[in-house]
Amino acid sequence: KRRPLQFLMSVARAWWIGRRHRVELVHCNEHDIYPIGQYIARLLRVPVVISVHFTMRDGYSRWAFGGDRCPDRIFFISRGSQEACRPDVEGVIPEDRWRLLYNGLDMAKFTPDAGLRASFRAEHGLGDRPVIGVACALRPRKQLEHLFEAAARVSNPDLRVVVAGGAVKGDEAYAEQLLARGRALLGPRLVTVG
C-alpha cells in the first residue's frame, strides 16, 4: 500500500519469471512473503503453499490468509511451532490443509564433508572442541539471545558457539548489542565468522 507501483512491478516480474519457467507451484518459504506469493500464484493459476518459521499472532493469519487468500497448504517445521501458531491460524486456514514438515536434511543424501570440516575448524581455531553453530541474519526475530543464554549454562569450557551471519539493514544497532551480549556471556567461547 505504501509503494503500489514498486509492488506491481515486483509481481509482474515474478509472474513473468514463473510463466517463462512454467512454474507449477509457488512456495513461500516464510509467512511474511506470502502476500506477494499468493498474487503470483493466482496469476499463474497454480497452487500456493507456505512454510512457517516464526510464531504468528495478533491476527496476522486473518490479514494474510483470510478469505480467498487462503493457501493450499501450510507447513509447520515442528509440532511446537504448529501449537504456538494455532490460536492465530485456527479458523482461518482449515486444519486439513496443515502439515507438519520437519525442518531437516536427509543425511543419507547430504553427508558431511570431512575436508571442509577440518579446514573450517582449523581456520577458526576450533580444534576438536564441541561446537554449536548457527547461520542466520542477526535480527530480533531469530532470538539468538536464547542460544547464548543456553550455551552460557553449559559447564564445558571447551564448548564454542559459532555464529555465521550479519546485520540486516535497519537492525545494525540490534546486531551490535546482540554480539556484545553474547561476548559478555560467553567470552572467547563465542566465535563470529560474519
Side-chain angles (χ1 to χ4, degrees):
K1 290 182 179 179
R2 283 185 239 141
R3 297 186 185 102
L5 184 60
Q6 183 181 359
F7 175 78
L8 290 173
M9 288 173 48
S10 296
V11 169
R13 184 169 186 273
W15 169 80
W16 181 82
I17 292 168
R19 186 168 176 214
R20 184 172 137 218
H21 292 283
R22 294 186 290 250
V23 166
E24 297 178 7
L25 173 81
V26 172
H27 174 215
C28 299
N29 188 43
E30 294 189 10
H31 64 273
D32 58 350
I33 62 168
Y34 181 79
I36 193 170
Q38 60 99 13
Y39 283 117
I40 295 163
R42 201 178 297 175
L43 290 169
L44 291 170
R45 300 186 198 300
V46 298
V48 61
V49 299
I50 179 176
S51 297
V52 176
H53 297 269
F54 306 100
T55 302
M56 294 183 292
R57 60 177 77 117
D58 303 326
Y60 179 87
S61 296
R62 279 190 308 283
W63 173 79
F65 315 127
D68 63 352
R69 296 181 309 277
C70 190
D72 295 280
R73 290 285 184 271
I74 182 169
F75 297 112
F76 296 95
I77 60 168
S78 69
R79 184 140 340 267
S81 172
Q82 180 178 323
E83 292 310 313
C85 292
R86 180 178 291 279
D88 202 67
V89 177
E90 210 164 38
V92 179
I93 300 174
E95 202 158 339
D96 64 354
R97 295 185 185 192
W98 298 17
R99 297 293 184 275
L100 187 57
L101 185 66
Y102 290 99
N103 192 17
L105 298 175
D106 180 350
M107 295 311 286
K109 294 180 182 176
F110 299 96
T111 58
D113 182 316
L116 286 175
R117 177 183 187 271
S119 65
F120 179 86
R121 283 177 166 270
E123 179 182 347
H124 298 287
L126 299 171
D128 287 328
R129 294 179 174 100
V131 172
I132 299 172
V134 63
C136 66
L138 304 182
R139 58 189 335 174
R141 69 183 187 189
K142 298 297 185 175
Q143 301 180 356
L144 290 180
E145 298 87 351
H146 299 296
L147 170 62
F148 297 159
E149 291 166 11
R153 292 186 191 121
V154 175
S155 61
N156 185 341
D158 288 334
L159 175 71
R160 296 295 182 262
V161 175
V162 178
V163 176
V168 174
K169 187 176 180 179
D171 286 330
E172 295 89 353
Y174 167 80
E176 281 184 41
Q177 292 171 348
L178 172 72
L179 293 177
R181 173 83 173 132
R183 287 184 194 100
L185 286 169
L186 298 167
R189 296 193 304 160
L190 178 64
V191 178
T192 57
V193 297

